[in-house]
Amino acid sequence: MSAASRPVVISFKGTVPKWTAAEFGKGATLVGRVSLGGNVSLAPWAALRGDGNFIEIGNNCQFLDRATVHIADGMYPTKMGRNITVGRFALVHACTVADDCVLGDAAVVMDNSLIGAGAVIAAGTLVPPGKTLEGGWLYSGNPARPVREVFRNEREVLRATLLSGEANKIVCEPDLPPLDMTLFAPTDGGSGPLYSLNGASPRIDPRGYVAPTSVVAGDVVTEPDTSIWFSTIMSGEGAPIRLGSRSNVQDNSILVTNGDRGPILIGADVTVGHNVRLGACRIGDNCLIGMGAQVGDGVVVEDGALVGARAYVEPGTVVKSGHIWAGRPAGNFRPVKSEEYEFFQRGKDVYVGYANTYLTEQLSRSDMTAA
């Protein structure tokens, strides 16, 4: 990994991340209540965001390119033991991961789950909320299911293979998005996070937050109380991207379109989860696009619909209002329960609060710099 001297460090409500000996790639970010053990490494554009709760990372952990770690606001922290490797474009969210685990590329581990010591989570696997996975096993699938026991020697071979990026169908994912942020940041379009592209420049509402490590390029317009988070890409090259009021696009998500593909139109009160990929699509109001999901060109997500975590919505699909679509490829899973809808709306409100806090603290830091 090409190392930088320091990560991007962001305080949250006066709390600053803590670490000792660590290695950081370009754009690697630590936010708020993050505590790192010794000999931890973050590859380029990895984001560990401890704002609404804390993140504890043990010794000898490695987070590869575009890995994301977050929490559940006021509910669940993220606790990770020692000697854990998290793959490229993988997500660890509000859960506990014990020592010696290997999480493959694009894996998603969700809220209040527990991964036992020495487990291997295969590439692209979804661990749903609240699941406990016994240590020492290989898990795969959507949702995760036990495949077979995996012993130390094999686990360490898989870890080394993941770190090297060699082709391996167990822990390496061939269908990853571009990992290099510079592919989307026009060299003559600005210094970031906002860039002009083909004569168009982003228009961000003053009440909207844009994280400093994101790339927002071209014809992108946001409405009030929106937020665009760390290492996220929103690139409208010859076609618009619109983000409606009170909507958020979370860390390491990638929204890219052009004049041939058409616009990306996102309504009001929408959450686009961490590590999501959106093509040219239309998302209505009050929708949720789950963590690690992929939405193809020409998709319409109707008002009040939810796309499940790690779902793949095929091009041209219409996701029906008031229903959850899940799976790869995604299909109609069931209607949204009222309590689920209320919970997801709470999440949207949390992100409006986050945006306000980050904007206030950003302004405070600017004032101190000016002084």
Side-chain angles (χ1 to χ4, degrees), residues 184-186 193-197 200 202 215-220 234-237 241:
F184 301 97
L194 306 180
Y195 298 84
S196 61
L197 182 62
V215 167
V216 181
D219 188 0
V220 179
M234 295 178 68
S235 177
E237 184 177 6
I241 299 178

Side-chain angles (χ1 to χ4, degrees), residues 123-160:
T125 293
L126 170 67
V127 180
K131 297 297 183 182
T132 296
L133 302 186
E134 182 181 350
W137 280 74
L138 168 66
Y139 296 89
S140 183
N142 184 348
R145 294 180 176 87
V147 176
R148 55 178 169 80
E149 285 190 272
V150 59
F151 297 99
R152 183 180 183 278
N153 286 348
E154 181 187 8
R155 185 182 69 241
E156 295 311 311
V157 168
L158 290 171
R159 189 192 311 276

Side-chain angles (χ1 to χ4, degrees), residues 4-367:
S5 58
R6 284 178 59 87
V8 176
V9 177
I10 306 290
S11 65
F12 184 80
K13 294 185 177 180
T15 302
V16 179
K18 299 177 181 178
W19 74 94
T20 53
E23 182 181 4
F24 302 102
K26 182 177 181 179
T29 302
L30 300 174
V31 178
R33 288 181 278 176
V34 174
S35 177
L36 304 182
N39 194 33
V40 172
S41 64
L42 275 66
W45 311 111
L48 277 60
R49 180 153 68 94
D51 35 28
N53 219 313
F54 65 87
I55 296 173
E56 292 182 350
I57 310 295
N59 297 337
N60 303 313
C61 290
Q62 301 157 308
F63 300 86
L64 303 189
D65 307 66
R66 292 195 170 278
T68 303
V69 182
H70 197 217
I71 50 75
D73 186 88
M75 296 180 65
Y76 306 118
T78 293
K79 300 179 182 180
M80 302 183 68
R82 300 168 297 175
N83 194 37
I84 297 167
T85 303
V86 179
R88 301 158 192 83
F89 205 59
L91 169 63
V92 179
H93 198 271
C95 61
T96 299
V97 183
D99 296 348
D100 300 315
C101 290
V102 177
L103 280 59
D105 292 338
V108 174
V109 183
M110 295 185 68
D111 301 24
N112 197 31
S113 56
L114 171 61
I115 311 300
V120 176
I121 309 300
T125 293
L126 170 67
V127 180
K131 297 297 183 182
T132 296
L133 302 186
E134 182 181 350
W137 280 74
L138 168 66
Y139 296 89
S140 183
N142 184 348
R145 294 180 176 87
V147 176
R148 55 178 169 80
E149 285 190 272
V150 59
F151 297 99
R152 183 180 183 278
N153 286 348
E154 181 187 8
R155 185 182 69 241
E156 295 311 311
V157 168
L158 290 171
R159 189 192 311 276
T161 302
L162 179 61
L163 289 169
S164 70
E166 298 174 11
N168 179 284
K169 63 182 181 181
I170 297 177
V171 292
C172 296
E173 171 61 59
D175 181 29
L176 288 173
L179 301 174
D180 186 354
M181 185 73 86
T182 60
L183 296 174
F184 301 97
T187 57
D188 58 351
S191 57
L194 306 180
Y195 298 84
S196 61
L197 182 62
N198 289 350
S201 298
R203 289 175 286 160
I204 307 299
D205 187 275
R207 285 165 48 192
Y209 176 73
V210 179
T213 61
S214 62
V215 167
V216 181
D219 188 0
V220 179
V221 177
T222 71
E223 296 185 10
D225 297 316
T226 53
S227 52
I228 300 169
W229 294 93
F230 297 96
S231 302
T232 284
I233 297 164
M234 295 178 68
S235 177
E237 184 177 6
I241 299 178
R242 300 291 182 261
L243 186 63
S245 56
R246 299 175 301 281
S247 293
N248 64 87
V249 182
Q250 297 177 11
D251 314 77
N252 265 310
S253 286
I254 299 176
L255 287 63
V256 177
T257 191
N258 56 45
D260 294 330
R261 297 167 64 194
I264 298 174
L265 306 177
I266 300 172
D269 300 297
V270 172
T271 290
V272 177
H274 310 277
N275 295 66
V276 164
R277 287 182 272 178
L278 293 186
C281 62
R282 180 168 62 84
I283 299 173
D285 299 337
N286 297 298
C287 293
L288 170 72
I289 310 299
M291 305 173 194
Q294 186 174 356
V295 177
D297 288 349
V299 169
V300 175
V301 181
E302 295 182 343
D303 293 352
L306 307 182
V307 173
R310 278 293 297 161
Y312 170 57
V313 185
E314 295 179 298
T317 300
V318 177
V319 178
K320 294 298 184 181
S321 178
H323 284 73
I324 299 175
W325 282 52
R328 300 182 68 83
N332 194 338
F333 182 56
R334 60 170 170 80
V336 181
K337 298 176 182 178
S338 59
E339 59 268 27
E340 291 172 328
Y341 186 78
E342 292 170 3
F343 179 77
F344 294 135
Q345 289 307 298
R346 176 189 176 274
K348 176 266 300 180
D349 293 338
V350 165
Y351 267 81
V352 171
Y354 280 164
N356 291 334
T357 299
Y358 278 77
L359 283 169
T360 299
E361 296 203 350
Q362 180 176 278
L363 179 62
S364 176
R365 287 192 294 269
S366 297
D367 288 346

